[in-house]
Coordinates of all heavy atoms in Angstrom, one line a residue:
M1 N 17.3 16.1 10.4 CA 16.2 16.2 11.3 C 15.5 14.8 11.4 O 15.3 14.2 10.3 CB 15.2 17.2 10.8 CG 14.0 17.5 11.6 SD 12.8 18.6 11.0 CE 13.7 20.2 11.2
S2 N 15.2 14.4 12.5 CA 14.7 13.1 12.7 C 13.1 13.1 12.4 O 12.5 14.2 12.3 CB 14.9 12.6 14.1 OG 14.0 13.3 15.0
I3 N 12.5 11.9 12.3 CA 11.1 11.9 12.1 C 10.3 12.5 13.2 O 9.3 13.3 13.0 CB 10.7 10.4 11.9 CG1 11.3 9.8 10.6 CG2 9.1 10.3 11.8 CD1 11.0 8.4 10.4
T4 N 10.8 12.3 14.4 CA 10.1 12.8 15.6 C 10.1 14.3 15.6 O 9.2 15.0 15.9 CB 10.8 12.3 16.9 OG1 10.7 10.8 16.8 CG2 10.0 12.7 18.1
Q5 N 11.4 14.8 15.3 CA 11.5 16.3 15.3 C 10.6 16.9 14.3 O 10.0 18.0 14.4 CB 13.0 16.7 15.1 CG 13.9 16.3 16.2 CD 15.3 16.5 15.8 OE1 15.7 16.4 14.6 NE2 16.2 16.8 16.8
Q6 N 10.5 16.3 13.0 CA 9.7 16.8 12.0 C 8.2 16.8 12.4 O 7.4 17.7 12.1 CB 9.9 16.0 10.7 CG 9.1 16.5 9.5 CD 9.5 17.9 9.1 OE1 10.7 18.1 8.9 NE2 8.5 18.8 8.8
H7 N 7.8 15.6 13.1 CA 6.4 15.5 13.5 C 6.1 16.6 14.5 O 5.1 17.3 14.5 CB 6.2 14.2 14.1 CG 4.8 14.1 14.7 ND1 3.7 14.1 13.9 CD2 4.4 13.9 15.9 CE1 2.6 14.0 14.7 NE2 3.0 13.8 15.9
L8 N 7.0 16.9 15.5 CA 6.8 18.0 16.5 C 6.7 19.3 15.8 O 5.9 20.1 16.2 CB 7.9 17.9 17.5 CG 7.9 16.7 18.5 CD1 9.2 16.7 19.3 CD2 6.6 16.8 19.3
L9 N 7.5 19.6 14.8 CA 7.4 20.9 14.1 C 6.1 21.0 13.3 O 5.5 22.0 13.4 CB 8.7 21.0 13.2 CG 8.8 22.2 12.3 CD1 8.9 23.4 13.2 CD2 9.9 22.1 11.3
D10 N 5.8 19.9 12.7 CA 4.5 20.0 11.9 C 3.3 20.2 12.9 O 2.3 20.9 12.6 CB 4.3 18.6 11.1 CG 5.2 18.6 10.0 OD1 5.8 19.6 9.6 OD2 5.4 17.5 9.5
T11 N 3.3 19.5 14.1 CA 2.3 19.7 15.1 C 2.2 21.1 15.6 O 1.1 21.7 15.7 CB 2.5 18.7 16.2 OG1 2.6 17.4 15.7 CG2 1.4 18.8 17.2
Y12 N 3.4 21.7 15.8 CA 3.4 23.0 16.3 C 2.9 24.0 15.2 O 2.1 24.9 15.5 CB 4.9 23.5 16.6 CG 5.0 24.9 16.9 CD1 4.6 25.4 18.2 CD2 5.6 25.8 16.0 CE1 4.7 26.8 18.5 CE2 5.7 27.1 16.2 CZ 5.3 27.6 17.5 OH 5.5 28.9 17.8
R13 N 3.3 23.8 14.0 CA 2.8 24.7 12.9 C 1.2 24.5 12.8 O 0.5 25.6 12.6 CB 3.4 24.3 11.6 CG 4.8 24.7 11.5 CD 5.4 24.4 10.1 NE 6.7 24.8 10.0 CZ 7.6 24.2 9.2 NH1 7.2 23.3 8.3 NH2 8.8 24.6 9.2
A14 N 0.7 23.3 12.9 CA -0.7 23.1 12.8 C -1.5 23.8 13.9 O -2.5 24.4 13.7 CB -1.0 21.6 12.8
L15 N -0.9 23.7 15.1 CA -1.6 24.4 16.3 C -1.6 25.9 16.1 O -2.6 26.5 16.4 CB -0.9 23.9 17.6 CG -1.1 22.5 18.0 CD1 -0.3 22.2 19.2 CD2 -2.6 22.2 18.2
T16 N -0.5 26.4 15.7 CA -0.4 27.9 15.5 C -1.3 28.4 14.4 O -1.9 29.5 14.4 CB 1.0 28.4 15.2 OG1 1.6 27.8 14.1 CG2 1.9 28.1 16.5
L17 N -1.6 27.5 13.4 CA -2.4 27.9 12.3 C -3.9 27.5 12.5 O -4.8 27.8 11.7 CB -1.9 27.3 10.9 CG -0.6 27.8 10.5 CD1 -0.1 27.0 9.3 CD2 -0.6 29.2 10.2
G18 N -4.2 26.8 13.6 CA -5.5 26.4 13.8 C -6.0 25.2 13.1 O -7.1 25.0 12.9
E19 N -5.1 24.5 12.5 CA -5.4 23.3 11.7 C -5.3 22.0 12.7 O -4.7 22.0 13.7 CB -4.4 23.1 10.6 CG -4.5 24.3 9.6 CD -3.4 24.3 8.6 OE1 -2.5 23.3 8.6 OE2 -3.4 25.1 7.7
P20 N -5.9 20.9 12.2 CA -5.8 19.7 13.0 C -4.3 19.2 12.9 O -3.6 19.4 11.9 CB -6.7 18.7 12.3 CG -7.0 19.2 10.9 CD -6.7 20.8 11.1
A21 N -3.9 18.5 14.0 CA -2.5 18.0 14.1 C -2.4 16.8 13.1 O -3.3 16.0 12.9 CB -2.2 17.5 15.5
P22 N -1.2 16.6 12.5 CA -1.0 15.5 11.6 C -0.9 14.2 12.4 O -0.6 14.2 13.6 CB 0.3 15.8 11.0 CG 1.0 16.7 11.9 CD 0.0 17.5 12.6
P23 N -1.2 13.0 11.8 CA -1.0 11.7 12.5 C 0.4 11.5 12.9 O 1.3 11.9 12.2 CB -1.6 10.8 11.6 CG -1.4 11.4 10.2 CD -1.5 12.8 10.4
A24 N 0.5 10.8 14.0 CA 1.9 10.4 14.4 C 2.6 9.5 13.4 O 1.9 8.7 12.7 CB 1.9 9.7 15.8
P25 N 3.9 9.5 13.3 CA 4.6 8.6 12.3 C 4.2 7.2 12.6 O 4.3 6.7 13.8 CB 6.1 9.0 12.6 CG 6.1 10.3 13.2 CD 4.8 10.4 14.0
G26 N 4.1 6.5 11.6 CA 3.8 4.9 11.8 C 2.4 4.7 12.1 O 2.0 3.4 12.2
T27 N 1.5 5.6 12.0 CA 0.1 5.4 12.4 C -0.7 4.5 11.4 O -1.4 3.6 11.7 CB -0.7 6.7 12.5 OG1 -0.1 7.5 13.4 CG2 -2.1 6.5 12.8
Y28 N -0.3 4.6 10.1 CA -0.9 3.9 9.1 C 0.0 2.9 8.4 O -0.3 2.4 7.4 CB -1.5 4.8 8.0 CG -2.6 5.8 8.6 CD1 -2.3 7.1 8.8 CD2 -3.8 5.3 8.9 CE1 -3.2 7.9 9.3 CE2 -4.8 6.2 9.5 CZ -4.4 7.5 9.7 OH -5.3 8.3 10.2
D29 N 1.0 2.4 9.1 CA 2.0 1.5 8.5 C 1.3 0.1 8.3 O 1.6 -0.5 7.3 CB 3.2 1.4 9.4 CG 4.2 2.6 9.3 OD1 3.9 3.5 8.5 OD2 5.2 2.5 10.0
R30 N 0.6 -0.4 9.3 CA 0.0 -1.6 9.1 C -1.0 -1.7 8.0 O -1.1 -2.6 7.2 CB -0.7 -2.1 10.4 CG 0.3 -2.5 11.5 CD -0.5 -3.1 12.6 NE 0.5 -3.3 13.7 CZ 0.2 -3.6 14.9 NH1 -1.1 -3.7 15.3 NH2 1.1 -3.9 15.9
Q31 N -1.8 -0.6 7.9 CA -2.8 -0.5 6.8 C -2.1 -0.5 5.5 O -2.6 -1.2 4.5 CB -3.7 0.7 7.1 CG -4.7 0.9 6.0 CD -5.5 2.2 6.2 OE1 -5.3 2.9 7.2 NE2 -6.3 2.5 5.3
A32 N -1.1 0.3 5.3 CA -0.3 0.3 4.0 C 0.3 -1.0 3.7 O 0.2 -1.4 2.5 CB 0.7 1.4 4.2
A33 N 0.8 -1.7 4.7 CA 1.5 -3.0 4.4 C 0.4 -4.0 4.0 O 0.6 -4.8 3.0 CB 2.2 -3.5 5.6
R34 N -0.8 -4.0 4.7 CA -1.9 -4.9 4.3 C -2.3 -4.6 2.9 O -2.6 -5.5 2.1 CB -3.0 -4.7 5.3 CG -4.1 -5.7 5.1 CD -5.2 -5.6 6.2 NE -4.7 -5.6 7.5 CZ -4.7 -4.6 8.4 NH1 -5.3 -3.5 8.0 NH2 -4.2 -4.7 9.6
E35 N -2.5 -3.4 2.5 CA -3.0 -3.0 1.2 C -2.0 -3.4 0.1 O -2.4 -4.0 -1.0 CB -3.2 -1.5 1.1 CG -4.5 -1.0 1.8 CD -4.6 0.4 1.8 OE1 -3.8 1.2 1.2 OE2 -5.6 0.9 2.5
L36 N -0.7 -3.3 0.4 CA 0.3 -3.7 -0.5 C 0.3 -5.2 -0.7 O 0.4 -5.7 -1.8 CB 1.7 -3.3 -0.1 CG 2.9 -3.6 -0.9 CD1 2.8 -3.0 -2.3 CD2 4.2 -3.2 -0.2
S37 N 0.1 -5.9 0.4 CA 0.1 -7.3 0.3 C -1.1 -7.9 -0.4 O -1.0 -8.8 -1.2 CB 0.1 -7.9 1.7 OG -0.2 -9.3 1.8
D38 N -2.3 -7.2 -0.2 CA -3.5 -7.5 -0.9 C -3.3 -7.3 -2.4 O -3.7 -8.1 -3.3 CB -4.7 -6.8 -0.4 CG -5.1 -7.2 1.0 OD1 -4.6 -8.3 1.4 OD2 -5.9 -6.4 1.7
E39 N -2.7 -6.3 -2.8 CA -2.5 -5.9 -4.2 C -1.6 -6.9 -4.8 O -1.8 -7.4 -6.0 CB -1.9 -4.5 -4.3 CG -1.5 -4.1 -5.8 CD -2.8 -3.9 -6.6 OE1 -3.9 -3.7 -6.2 OE2 -2.6 -4.1 -7.8
Q40 N -0.6 -7.3 -4.2 CA 0.4 -8.3 -4.7 C -0.3 -9.7 -4.9 O -0.1 -10.3 -5.8 CB 1.6 -8.4 -3.8 CG 2.6 -7.2 -3.9 CD 3.7 -7.3 -2.9 OE1 3.7 -8.1 -2.0 NE2 4.7 -6.5 -3.1
R41 N -1.1 -10.0 -3.9 CA -1.8 -11.3 -4.0 C -2.8 -11.3 -5.1 O -2.9 -12.2 -5.8 CB -2.5 -11.5 -2.6 CG -2.7 -13.0 -2.3 CD -3.3 -13.2 -0.9 NE -2.5 -12.7 0.1 CZ -2.8 -11.8 1.1 NH1 -4.1 -11.4 1.2 NH2 -1.9 -11.4 2.0
S42 N -3.4 -10.1 -5.3 CA -4.4 -10.0 -6.3 C -3.8 -10.1 -7.7 O -4.3 -10.8 -8.6 CB -5.1 -8.7 -6.2 OG -5.9 -8.4 -7.3
R43 N -2.6 -9.4 -7.9 CA -1.9 -9.5 -9.2 C -1.4 -11.0 -9.5 O -1.4 -11.4 -10.5 CB -0.6 -8.5 -9.1 CG -1.1 -7.1 -9.3 CD 0.1 -6.3 -9.3 NE -0.4 -4.8 -9.3 CZ 0.3 -3.9 -10.0 NH1 1.4 -4.2 -10.6 NH2 -0.2 -2.7 -10.0
A44 N -0.9 -11.6 -8.4 CA -0.5 -13.0 -8.6 C -1.6 -13.9 -9.0 O -1.4 -14.8 -9.9 CB 0.2 -13.5 -7.3
G45 N -2.8 -13.7 -8.5 CA -4.0 -14.4 -8.8 C -4.3 -14.3 -10.2 O -4.7 -15.2 -11.0
R46 N -4.3 -13.0 -10.7 CA -4.7 -12.8 -12.1 C -3.7 -13.4 -13.0 O -4.1 -14.0 -14.1 CB -4.7 -11.3 -12.3 CG -6.0 -10.6 -11.9 CD -6.1 -9.2 -12.2 NE -5.6 -8.5 -11.0 CZ -5.0 -7.3 -11.0 NH1 -5.0 -6.6 -12.0 NH2 -4.6 -6.7 -9.9
H47 N -2.4 -13.3 -12.7 CA -1.3 -13.9 -13.6 C -1.6 -15.4 -13.6 O -1.3 -16.1 -14.5 CB 0.1 -13.6 -13.1 CG 0.4 -12.1 -13.4 ND1 0.3 -11.5 -14.6 CD2 0.7 -11.1 -12.5 CE1 0.6 -10.2 -14.5 NE2 0.9 -9.9 -13.3
G48 N -1.8 -16.0 -12.4 CA -2.1 -17.4 -12.3 C -3.2 -17.9 -13.2 O -3.1 -18.9 -13.9
L49 N -4.3 -17.2 -13.2 CA -5.5 -17.5 -14.0 C -5.1 -17.4 -15.5 O -5.4 -18.2 -16.3 CB -6.6 -16.6 -13.7 CG -7.9 -16.9 -14.4 CD1 -8.4 -18.3 -14.3 CD2 -8.9 -15.9 -14.1
R50 N -4.4 -16.3 -15.8 CA -4.0 -16.1 -17.2 C -3.1 -17.2 -17.7 O -3.3 -17.7 -18.8 CB -3.2 -14.7 -17.4 CG -3.0 -14.4 -18.8 CD -2.2 -13.1 -18.9 NE -2.9 -12.0 -18.1 CZ -2.3 -11.0 -17.5 NH1 -1.0 -11.0 -17.4 NH2 -3.0 -10.2 -16.8
N51 N -2.1 -17.6 -16.9 CA -1.2 -18.7 -17.3 C -1.9 -20.0 -17.4 O -1.7 -20.8 -18.3 CB -0.1 -18.9 -16.3 CG 0.8 -17.7 -16.3 OD1 0.9 -17.0 -17.2 ND2 1.6 -17.4 -15.2
A52 N -2.9 -20.3 -16.5 CA -3.7 -21.5 -16.6 C -4.5 -21.6 -17.9 O -4.6 -22.6 -18.6 CB -4.6 -21.6 -15.4
L53 N -5.1 -20.4 -18.2 CA -5.9 -20.4 -19.5 C -5.0 -20.6 -20.7 O -5.4 -21.3 -21.6 CB -6.6 -19.1 -19.6 CG -7.9 -18.9 -18.6 CD1 -8.4 -17.5 -18.8 CD2 -8.9 -19.9 -19.0
A54 N -3.8 -20.0 -20.7 CA -2.9 -20.1 -21.8 C -2.4 -21.6 -21.9 O -2.3 -22.1 -23.0 CB -1.7 -19.2 -21.6
R55 N -2.1 -22.3 -20.8 CA -1.8 -23.7 -20.9 C -3.0 -24.5 -21.4 O -2.8 -25.5 -22.2 CB -1.4 -24.2 -19.4 CG 0.0 -23.8 -19.0 CD 0.5 -24.5 -17.8 NE -0.5 -24.5 -16.7 CZ -0.5 -23.5 -15.8 NH1 0.4 -22.6 -15.8 NH2 -1.4 -23.6 -14.8
W56 N -4.2 -24.2 -21.1 CA -5.4 -24.9 -21.5 C -5.6 -24.8 -23.0 O -5.9 -25.8 -23.7 CB -6.6 -24.5 -20.7 CG -7.8 -25.2 -21.1 CD1 -8.2 -26.4 -20.7 CD2 -8.9 -24.7 -22.0 NE1 -9.4 -26.7 -21.4 CE2 -9.8 -25.7 -22.0 CE3 -9.1 -23.5 -22.7 CZ2 -11.0 -25.6 -22.8 CZ3 -10.2 -23.4 -23.4 CH2 -11.1 -24.5 -23.5
R57 N -5.3 -23.6 -23.5 CA -5.5 -23.4 -24.9 C -4.4 -24.0 -25.7 O -4.6 -24.4 -26.9 CB -5.4 -21.8 -25.2 CG -6.6 -21.1 -24.7 CD -6.6 -19.6 -25.1 NE -7.7 -19.0 -24.5 CZ -7.7 -17.7 -24.0 NH1 -6.5 -17.1 -24.0 NH2 -8.7 -17.2 -23.5
R58 N -3.2 -24.2 -25.2 CA -2.1 -24.8 -25.9 C -2.0 -26.3 -25.9 O -1.3 -27.0 -26.6 CB -0.8 -24.3 -25.3 CG -0.4 -22.9 -25.7 CD 1.0 -22.6 -25.2 NE 1.0 -22.8 -23.7 CZ 1.7 -22.1 -22.9 NH1 2.4 -21.1 -23.3 NH2 1.6 -22.3 -21.6
R59 N -2.9 -26.9 -25.1 CA -2.8 -28.4 -24.9 C -3.2 -29.1 -26.2 O -4.1 -28.6 -26.9 CB -3.7 -28.8 -23.7 CG -5.1 -28.7 -24.0 CD -6.0 -29.1 -22.8 NE -7.4 -28.9 -23.2 CZ -8.4 -29.5 -22.5 NH1 -8.1 -30.2 -21.5 NH2 -9.6 -29.4 -23.0
P60 N -2.6 -30.2 -26.4 CA -2.9 -30.9 -27.7 C -4.4 -31.5 -27.6 O -4.7 -32.0 -26.5 CB -1.9 -32.0 -27.8 CG -1.3 -32.0 -26.5 CD -1.5 -30.8 -25.7
T61 N -5.0 -31.6 -28.7 CA -6.4 -32.2 -28.7 C -6.4 -33.5 -29.2 O -5.6 -34.1 -29.7 CB -7.3 -31.2 -29.6 OG1 -6.8 -31.1 -30.8 CG2 -7.6 -30.0 -28.9

């Protein structure tokens, strides 16, 4: 069953049960990709700061 067929089936079920229709496939793809990118950038920043502090502590006096 393709994504489109599954979406049509879910929409039909929602309409027969009086529930709101589900969002179309791909509706939130950009938002999910942006959140993943932001999370990765945030983690990289934290590791970069941690590494910089570790180098600063190890430097000879």
Side-chain angles (χ1 to χ4, degrees):
M1 182 179 292
S2 71
I3 294 173
T4 304
Q5 291 170 334
Q6 183 65 48
H7 176 67
L8 291 173
L9 181 62
D10 291 341
T11 302
Y12 173 75
R13 287 181 184 161
L15 290 174
T16 57
L17 296 173
E19 298 175 353
T27 302
Y28 299 107
D29 286 354
R30 287 184 184 173
Q31 179 182 356
R34 189 177 306 116
E35 289 174 0
L36 179 63
S37 173
D38 290 346
E39 177 65 24
Q40 289 174 342
R41 210 173 300 126
S42 173
R43 287 182 184 215
R46 279 183 268 159
H47 291 302
L49 179 61
R50 186 181 309 142
N51 291 339
L53 288 173
R55 283 192 307 269
W56 181 77
R57 288 182 186 144
R58 287 186 300 219
R59 69 181 181 162
T61 56

